[in-house]
Amino acid sequence: MNWTIEVVPVPVTDMDRAKAFYAEKIGFNVDLDDEVAPGVRVIQLTPPGSRCSIALLEGMPTPPGTKVMAPGTLHGLQMCVTDIDAAHATLSGRGVGVSPVRHIGEAGWEDGKGGTWNSFLSFSDPDGNGWVVQEAPSDLGER
C-alpha cells in the first residue's frame, strides 16, 4: 500500500487574498473553489507538475484529536524546481518578496548557488506562512 501526501492545509485569514497570491503570484493552478458543505469553503491549488496540492479552508470543523493552526504558523513547506535562478526571477517578477538564492556552506547559510541539491530560496504568503524552494537536479519523474 502506498501512502502519498496529496493535500496540505494552509491556514490563512483571507481566502480570496490567499487564492490570488497562490494562483497569480506563485502560479499554482486552481483546482477547486467551492462550498463543499453548508458554510464550508475549500480552495484547492496545485503547483505546476506537482501531485500534492494545498487547501485553503474556511468553516471546516477541526477533526477530533487535532489542533487548529493559526494563520502564519505553517513553515517549512518545500517545493523543488530544476532551475532556482529562473524560479527566483519568476517570483520576483510577479512581485513576491523572495530571498536571495542561498546554499548551506561551511559557516551556515551563504548567498549564491551551491552544488547538487544545495540551492534554495524562500518566501512567505500574505499571512506569513513560510515556503522553501530547492533546486533539484531533474524533474521528479526522472529521478
Side-chain angles (χ1 to χ4, degrees):
M1 170 174 46
N2 292 329
W3 293 60
T4 61
I5 296 174
E6 297 192 16
V7 180
V8 176
V10 176
V12 299
T13 55
D14 182 320
M15 298 275 284
D16 293 315
R17 178 182 71 174
K19 176 184 174 183
F21 176 80
Y22 285 106
E24 297 166 18
K25 300 252 185 200
I26 307 302
F28 287 15
N29 300 309
V30 178
D31 304 319
L32 173 73
D33 183 351
D34 198 12
E35 186 176 55
V36 297
V40 179
R41 181 181 178 197
V42 175
I43 302 173
Q44 187 168 319
L45 304 106
T46 305
S50 179
R51 293 186 58 195
C52 186
S53 303
I54 63 168
L56 312 176
L57 308 170
E58 184 174 76
M60 178 75 74
T62 304
T66 64
K67 297 179 181 179
V68 175
M69 282 186 294
T73 61
L74 185 61
H75 295 278
L77 289 172
Q78 187 164 318
M79 293 182 281
C80 288
V81 297
T82 55
D83 187 334
I84 198 80
D85 292 321
H88 189 278
T90 297
L91 294 173
S92 296
R94 292 179 179 163
V96 177
V98 62
S99 74
V101 172
R102 296 182 175 123
H103 68 279
I104 302 167
E106 291 181 27
W109 287 105
E110 299 176 6
D111 285 349
K113 288 180 71 165
T116 304
W117 292 106
N118 191 13
S119 296
F120 304 85
L121 62 82
S122 58
F123 66 89
S124 295
D125 73 9
D127 285 291
N129 295 302
W131 289 81
V132 174
V133 179
Q134 179 182 28
E135 186 175 75
S138 60
D139 282 326
L140 182 60
E142 299 170 8
R143 287 185 243 146

